[in-house]
Amino acid sequence: MNRLDGKVALLSGAARGIGAETARLMVEAGAKVVIGDVLDERGRETARTLGDAALYSRLDVTSEEDWRAAVAAALDRFGKLDILVNNAGLFLGKDIEAASLAEWARLCAVNLTGVFLGTKLCLPALREAARESAHGSAIVNLASTAGLVGSTQDPLYSMTKGGVTLFTKSAALEFARKGYRIRVNSMHPGTIDTDMGDQVLVARARNLGTNDIEAARRQVIDRLPIGRMGTPNDIAKGIVFLASDDAGFMTGAGLVVDGGITAQ
Ligand SMILES: NC(=O)c1ccc[n+]([C@@H]2O[C@H](COP(=O)([O-])OP(=O)(O)OC[C@H]3O[C@@H](n4cnc5c(N)ncnc54)[C@H](O)[C@@H]3O)[C@@H](O)[C@H]2O)c1
């Protein structure tokens, strides 16, 4: 199950957190990976730990030029591109009244424009690889539980992730209609222990009227049916599944990995 032998994947925002763990699991599953990020040093280090199966390409997801360079790097070094993981994302953690227009624009640029550009600019290579593959190519978009239900901490983040949820379904339908053989699915994590997870806890603590991040963490855990926060590995396993041929009958779907928070 969940093997990716012979596959080549490009992951945005994979220098750290969920993206880095997904790159690691993908290599373990037999794939070659291109790690894109704006954190050059961290991204190179993440790629280095994965050896010859990985390379780092600077990728600001808001830049068409960077996407072209990342796809070219995948083709030059590994010969094709089967999988795109649109993982890069920003969290803001501000109320509607506190957020500025510039902050909204930045959130949109990374969380929405980045997903659109990645999909559009990887499409030719993904189509090409799909022609040669039994089950076609795959795109996995990182949405969130905040893309399914409203967020108590960050309404603007929630608006962008809701967009990712429906873009995923629409792209799946478009590519199916056109016969491209590219599956598109979304991953919906709950609160996960990463740098972004810490930002979520800071916002929650602020809303509780305290600086006590541990109090915020306890509150999150108390509300989680599974009784713990998620790890990058919990999410990476789901992404690898969606990217693999084992998910060959899934497209336009969302996989919720949230410790049960949205079941309530
Ligand atoms: N951590 C959570 O609780 C959580 C929950 C739901 C969804 N998510 C989503 O999962 C994805 C990964 O989040 P994470 O928790 O690993 O966060 P993280 O902050 O640890 O990692 C995000 C990565 O994206 C990169 N990035 C930011 N702007 C970029 C840009 N313009 N171009 C390229 N890369 C850029 C960052 O440098 C970082 O390496 C995000 O899309 C996030 O919204 C996270």
Side-chain angles (χ1 to χ4, degrees):
M1 280 282 284
N2 298 344
R3 293 298 305 174
L4 296 175
D5 298 295
K7 306 270 190 195
V8 180
L10 168 55
L11 303 93
S12 69
R16 70 180 189 200
I18 291 168
E21 179 63 5
T22 305
R24 192 185 70 74
L25 282 198
M26 284 189 161
V27 168
E28 226 173 70
K32 307 275 197 292
V33 298
V34 177
I35 290 170
D37 209 297
V38 288
L39 303 175
D40 293 334
E41 216 170 291
R42 184 90 181 257
R44 279 195 202 96
E45 179 55 21
T46 301
R48 198 191 55 73
T49 61
L50 299 176
D52 288 345
L55 69 84
Y56 175 72
S57 183
R58 183 185 171 80
L59 170 62
D60 178 341
V61 293
T62 68
S63 157
E64 288 186 86
E65 202 184 328
D66 282 6
W67 274 110
R68 287 202 182 89
V71 173
L75 300 182
D76 287 351
R77 172 86 168 266
F78 302 129
K80 61 173 180 159
L81 182 65
D82 304 279
I83 296 162
L84 165 66
V85 184
N86 279 312
N87 168 76
L90 293 181
F91 180 80
L92 183 60
K94 288 192 176 176
D95 291 347
I96 296 164
E97 289 172 304
S100 70
L101 182 57
E103 285 167 333
W104 164 240
R106 183 70 194 144
L107 212 57
C108 277
V110 176
N111 294 6
L112 289 170
T113 305
V115 176
F116 159 58
L117 283 183
T119 304
K120 183 178 170 71
L121 296 170
C122 292
L123 194 56
L126 291 169
R127 282 183 68 189
E128 185 66 30
R131 286 195 198 98
E132 309 294 322
S133 129
H135 292 273
S137 297
I139 299 176
V140 182
N141 295 326
L142 268 289
S144 170
T145 50
L148 297 172
V149 297
S151 162
T152 48
Q153 314 306 327
D154 197 333
L156 302 189
Y157 175 80
S158 189
M159 179 151 51
T160 64
K161 292 299 183 177
V164 173
T165 302
L166 287 185
F167 178 73
T168 299
K169 293 186 189 301
S170 307
L173 295 176
E174 177 178 333
F175 299 160
R177 172 168 53 80
K178 291 177 171 171
Y180 288 174
R181 303 180 68 245
I182 302 171
R183 298 180 301 101
V184 192
N185 293 293
S186 50
M187 161 57 76
H188 301 265
T191 308
I192 310 302
D193 229 334
T194 62
D195 291 68
M196 188 183 288
D198 288 347
Q199 291 167 36
V200 176
L201 294 180
V202 168
R204 183 174 286 270
R206 197 185 313 120
N207 289 346
L208 288 171
T210 158
N211 289 326
D212 186 352
I213 306 303
E214 287 315 307
R217 186 185 297 275
R218 280 195 301 279
Q219 193 197 61
V220 167
I221 291 172
D222 281 349
R223 289 179 181 179
L224 273 163
I226 284 200
R228 66 167 175 88
M229 276 178 68
T231 65
N233 187 259
D234 289 320
I235 305 307
K237 285 192 270 200
I239 298 171
V240 170
F241 166 67
L242 290 174
S244 79
D245 292 346
D246 292 310
F249 196 53
M250 286 180 75
T251 197
L255 185 58
V256 179
V257 181
D258 70 347
I261 196 77
T262 54
Q264 310 171 91

